Amino acid sequence: MKSLVIYSSQTGNTKKLAESTCEYLPNGTLLCPVDEAPDPSDYDFVAVGFWLKAGKPDPKSAGYLERLKGHPKVFLFATHGANPDSEHVKNAMARAQSIAEGANFAGSFSCYGEVNPKVLDKVKAKPQPPVWIDDATHAVGHPDKGDLERLRLSIASVVN
Ligand SMILES: Cc1cc2nc3c(=O)[nH]c(=O)nc-3n(C[C@H](O)[C@H](O)[C@H](O)COP(=O)(O)O)c2cc1C
């Protein structure tokens, strides 16, 4: 199985998941930032990692997801300030799936990702702070060891 892991990451959270995803996949898996991503149709399995921006996959990842329409095996992973069980995150995952319309989704994983404190202060100061802002205090220190272990189990269920 020829596998590819693509990610977008501003502060390193999603990159951390991407590196672990690559480790959990068979030897020879290619790890690539989204800016250097190859044609996904050359790969049997593509894992795409994004961070949430305004309730959606970040724009660069969204662009790559467009190229995955109809792909036979896709795995999604993400980091965010919102609670992983929130509607906000569920909607964002659904959005990612709808961008890559017609792809076969083998699985997905997401977890908290610590939010840059400067961004947090800015967002908190808005007249109407976004819904995820109260959850973001719980994101400090994530992704952590437990997140990476849950990711490993998620990948194992897809690969085996
Ligand atoms: C401009 C901006 C917008 C964000 N919007 C959201 C959002 O809508 N929902 C959310 O849960 N987290 C949001 N976040 C938090 C990031 O998704 C989170 O910190 C993520 O782990 C960052 O990943 P990275 O370190 O790979 O860049 C936002 C962060 C930034 C900088």
Side-chain angles (χ1 to χ4, degrees):
M1 185 176 75
K2 212 176 156 196
S3 307
L4 174 66
V5 179
I6 298 300
Y7 67 92
S8 171
S9 188
Q10 276 195 324
T11 61
N13 298 330
T14 317
K15 185 178 182 191
K16 199 168 173 183
L17 294 192
E19 287 168 347
S20 294
T21 300
C22 196
E23 257 175 49
Y24 303 148
L25 285 167
N27 285 344
T29 298
L30 180 66
L31 174 67
C32 234
V34 69
D35 290 329
E36 297 161 23
D39 183 349
S41 65
D42 290 339
Y43 293 82
D44 306 307
F45 176 74
V46 184
V48 181
F50 53 88
W51 55 281
L52 294 202
K53 183 175 184 183
K56 295 183 281 193
D58 69 87
K60 284 184 182 180
S61 301
Y64 196 71
L65 286 166
E66 288 269 354
R67 296 168 66 184
L68 283 163
K69 283 183 176 160
H71 192 281
K73 201 167 186 186
V74 176
F75 181 85
L76 299 176
F77 60 97
T79 66
H80 38 75
N83 186 311
D85 296 325
S86 64
E87 286 303 308
H88 181 78
V89 170
K90 283 178 196 159
N91 291 339
M93 274 291 174
R95 179 107 181 196
Q97 292 200 7
S98 73
I99 298 171
E101 196 187 344
N104 177 40
F105 293 96
S108 68
F109 173 83
S110 90
C111 67
Y112 279 123
E114 182 164 342
V115 186
N116 178 333
K118 280 187 189 160
V119 171
L120 212 50
D121 287 345
K122 245 187 181 171
V123 174
K124 272 185 191 158
K126 286 187 174 181
Q128 280 187 317
V131 287
W132 55 272
I133 205 72
D134 290 334
D135 298 345
T137 49
H138 301 288
V140 176
H142 289 269
D144 63 11
K145 240 173 119 185
D147 296 321
L148 297 184
E149 177 55 14
R150 280 188 290 280
L151 171 65
R152 188 184 68 76
L153 295 173
S154 246
I155 300 279
S157 70
V158 167
V159 172
N160 298 330

